[in-house]
Structures are given as C-alpha cells and as structure tokens.
Amino acid sequence: MRTLSYNLEKHKASGELVELAEALDLDFLCLQEADTLALPDELGPMHLADATQRNRLGLAIYHRRDRFEAQASQAFALKKSLHDRVARPAAERLLASRMLDTDSGREFIVASFHAAPLTALNSLRRAQIAAAHAQIEELGPELPHLMVGDYNYPLFKNSLSNRIAKSGYDLSLSDSLTYTRYKFFRGHFDFATSARLSIDSVTTLPQGASDHMAILVTSKLPESNEQHVIRAARPQPRGRANGWFRSAR
C-alpha cells in the first residue's frame, strides 16, 4: 500500500494534491492543516473518506476508489496543549478510517494525526500518541493499522521509539528530514507509527509549497488470517466517549 502524508501548511500546498495522487499511484492520502471546507470529494483517482469538521485547519483522508472502501470514520479531540486552549486551532487531532480492501476482503485502519505544536512538552505529545493508538484500537480491535502525520517531535525520537515499541507499536522515520524551516528545529517531524503490518519504506518527497515535506509510506498487510477478514455480521462501533462516530462518506 502506498500512503502519502502531507501537512499542507494552512492549505498552501492544496494545489499539488491531484498531481501527487496521480504521479505516485497512491492508495491513501492523509492530510494535516487542510481547509476541510475547501476540499473536494474527488481528487484525481481518489475519494474523500472523511475530514474533521470542528478544526480551523483540519485533517482529511482520501482513498483509492477502485480498490478500497471506507467503512467508518472517527475523529478524536486528544489532550489539549496550552496553545490549543488559547488559540483553538485544532479541536480534533486524530482522524481514523476503517478501510476494506475489496480485492481480499480484509480490513485495516488508516489514520491521519497532528500532534500539539512545539510550544507543548514532549510528554504531552507522547500522551497524545498513546491516546491515539488506544482510540484506533477501539475503532478496529486487533486490526492492522497505520497512523501517519505531523508528530511535531524533532528531538529524542530514540526514546519515543522505545516507548512506542514497549506498547506494541513500531515507529518508522523517513529517509531524510521533513522540516527545515527553522535552523534549531529541523528534523523528522512527519513519520509513521503502525501495528500488525510491515513498513517497507518511508520516503521524503521534494519540498513543495508547504514548510513540511510530504512523506510516502509503502507498507504491507500481514499474511491473511481469520481476524483480518471482514465478517458481514460484525457490528459497527458505537462508542462516543472520547470523540464522535459516523459512517464514512
């Protein structure tokens, strides 16, 4: 599977999306800092699975319409930073979609994530990442999942990777830096965390109109087994305690 994650920097890079989707033969496109009201339902070969609705600049997930179907989506408001409480830029920092591969009948989850900005502590971002993983598990218990986005975590990633590994997840960095705007904050801001699937590569694309470089994540689902095959009688998730749920578009 080929998944692109791109922080559009206040929607500045939105004009690049159709070309990227077509040129890279994408299966999924996960966006951060998008003007979700301005996003089209169709983007080249891709269809909008869902987008956040309460953010000034939000998250969105597109999928390749000829192979994948979005079964359900859920957005979550994670623990807030001081910046969130004062400026209110992001009510929801996680958007997850449960997908069906129509070729194999297997389900998995794709998620777009945007952590609190650098004004917050790493401890808060770690809490947000852990909470995001927990919420994804509720949306699709035991399903493979891939969470990509802007983690805003340029320093001490070895420690973060160890913490994530202890909780049963993998952290995958790209082959080069994804953010170079500020001298002292250059680094891998955009990366992937995953469970129950293998990451083949994470590639940083050339810089476009955004201050972030997009990353292309190539991944594989595990060998087919019973728990990863869709069952027609399986009930849909209905939890609302920490977010909202609705059927995908």
Side-chain angles (χ1 to χ4, degrees):
M1 299 187 297
R2 294 168 65 82
T3 303
L4 189 76
S5 176
Y6 199 4
N7 182 322
L8 299 182
E9 191 195 358
K10 302 179 182 178
H11 208 67
K12 290 179 183 178
S14 59
E16 303 169 12
L17 297 178
V18 172
E19 181 179 358
L20 286 170
E22 293 176 345
L24 298 172
D25 192 26
L26 296 179
D27 295 307
F28 302 100
L29 173 61
C30 297
L31 303 177
Q32 305 88 42
E33 287 197 25
D35 180 352
T36 56
L37 296 179
L39 291 174
D41 287 340
E42 309 297 327
L43 199 65
M46 314 198 78
H47 179 73
L48 181 63
D50 217 336
T52 53
Q53 298 179 344
R54 297 167 53 200
N55 292 10
R56 175 162 50 87
L57 291 167
L59 309 171
I61 298 174
Y62 284 84
H63 63 92
R64 184 171 183 151
R65 71 172 78 89
D66 61 356
R67 179 175 174 182
F68 301 100
E69 293 180 1
Q71 302 295 292
S73 296
Q74 192 164 1
F76 297 94
L78 306 177
K79 185 176 180 180
K80 290 181 172 58
S81 67
L82 178 61
H83 180 75
D84 288 334
R85 297 181 187 280
V86 174
R88 298 183 180 180
E92 298 123 354
R93 289 195 172 273
L94 171 68
L95 177 67
S97 290
R98 196 174 72 243
M99 295 288 175
L100 169 66
D101 181 342
T102 57
D103 286 354
S104 65
R106 298 167 72 191
E107 288 185 290
F108 56 96
I109 291 176
V110 175
S112 183
F113 173 73
H114 193 181
L118 293 176
T119 51
L121 297 175
N122 274 350
S123 58
L124 174 63
R125 282 183 283 275
R126 288 195 299 270
Q128 289 179 331
I129 293 167
H133 288 160
Q135 299 293 5
I136 290 171
E137 291 290 350
E138 289 190 10
L139 180 62
E142 298 301 316
L143 289 179
H145 77 250
L146 173 67
M147 185 170 85
V148 296
D150 179 4
Y151 285 71
N152 274 320
Y153 212 105
L155 302 174
F156 309 114
K157 273 184 286 295
N158 286 339
S159 175
L160 175 64
S161 181
N162 291 336
R163 287 173 180 265
I164 288 176
K166 288 178 181 178
S167 63
Y169 299 87
D170 296 315
L171 185 155
S172 301
L173 298 179
S174 58
D175 57 355
S176 61
L177 305 183
T178 68
Y179 189 84
T180 59
R181 181 176 179 182
Y182 298 114
K183 179 179 180 180
F184 296 105
F185 293 108
R186 296 180 179 182
H188 291 84
F189 280 55
D190 309 84
F191 48 88
T193 54
S194 59
R196 307 178 199 96
L197 53 75
S198 60
I199 303 295
D200 294 333
S201 63
V202 184
T203 304
T204 302
L205 300 187
Q207 182 130 29
S210 173
D211 55 1
H212 286 253
M213 280 81 101
I215 59 170
L216 177 64
V217 182
T218 305
S219 61
K220 289 193 191 79
L221 292 170
E223 293 298 319
S224 180
N225 59 58
E226 184 178 357
Q227 73 178 13
H228 295 146
V229 177
I230 187 169
R231 301 171 178 80
R234 190 164 115 182
Q236 299 291 316
R238 299 184 182 277
R240 292 174 177 263
N242 295 304
W244 49 261
F245 169 82
R246 65 174 182 271
S247 296
R249 299 187 183 198

